[in-house]
Amino acid sequence: MMFKKLISYLIPVTIFLSKSSLSKSLEVTWVKGKLILDSENTNYSYGDLQDILRLGLKEIGFAKVKSMDEVLVLGVAGGSVVKTLVDEINFDGKITGVEIDPSVIDIANKFFKLNEISQLDIIVEDAFEYILKTKNTYDLIIIDIFQDTKMPNFLFESYFVNRICTLINDYGAVLFNTMLLSDNDNKRNEKYVNDFDLANFKIRTIPRVEQHNELIVIEKQM
């Protein structure tokens, strides 16, 4: 394992390749001394994705996030944002992770030790179904849901965003990671932001750090 890690500073070294009923390809690879999880066409966890979500958390404020009690992560994958919360921000509250693909969770546990994080509760379920029925509320909801390079349409429907916002505690926030691969995607995001008009909430985008990702932040004002 150490040899493969060292070689990865020269070339990527894939150590695990699989697929699931939901993903054509799930690949764990050493890249520059770090393990990452990729789907067929994009980074699922760690790597660039971890940098993107870390930036979003920094924009919300590490100190503010650290002081929170409950965080909900919709779309866990390998758990890179969970690791950022726990290892870098020292968040010690409860984290609930919702992931639709059990195979991804198996990989996250085996290669990224996600099951060793005691404050993390993983629920294998469709995010939309979970949001519909949960009675819990959260200080921060992180939305990071992709099917390879595609995003489910429900994420951009007014009903979903309205429901998400009912689950946010006072002074809480939503961090929404989106992928922009076409003009239609750009227009979709513009419409999402321009049409948002919930009272006591403020919406903004974060300038892109990667070419194809845009972060949307929704904060509850009281």
Side-chain angles (χ1 to χ4, degrees), residues 196-208:
F196 185 89
D197 63 352
L198 292 179
N200 300 324
F201 286 89
K202 182 180 179 181
I203 191 168
R204 61 189 171 96
T205 59
I206 297 174
R208 300 181 205 178

Side-chain angles (χ1 to χ4, degrees), residues 31-43:
V31 177
K32 296 181 179 179
K34 295 182 179 180
L35 278 180
I36 66 171
L37 174 63
D38 289 335
S39 65
E40 185 176 17
N41 296 298
T42 193
N43 178 226

Side-chain angles (χ1 to χ4, degrees), residues 13 16 22 25-26 43 47 79 86 90 116 139 165 177 195 207 211:
V13 180
F16 179 83
L22 297 171
S25 175
L26 294 169
N43 178 226
V86 174
N90 296 317
E116 295 182 5
D139 302 301
C165 287
N177 182 27
D195 289 354
Q211 182 179 0

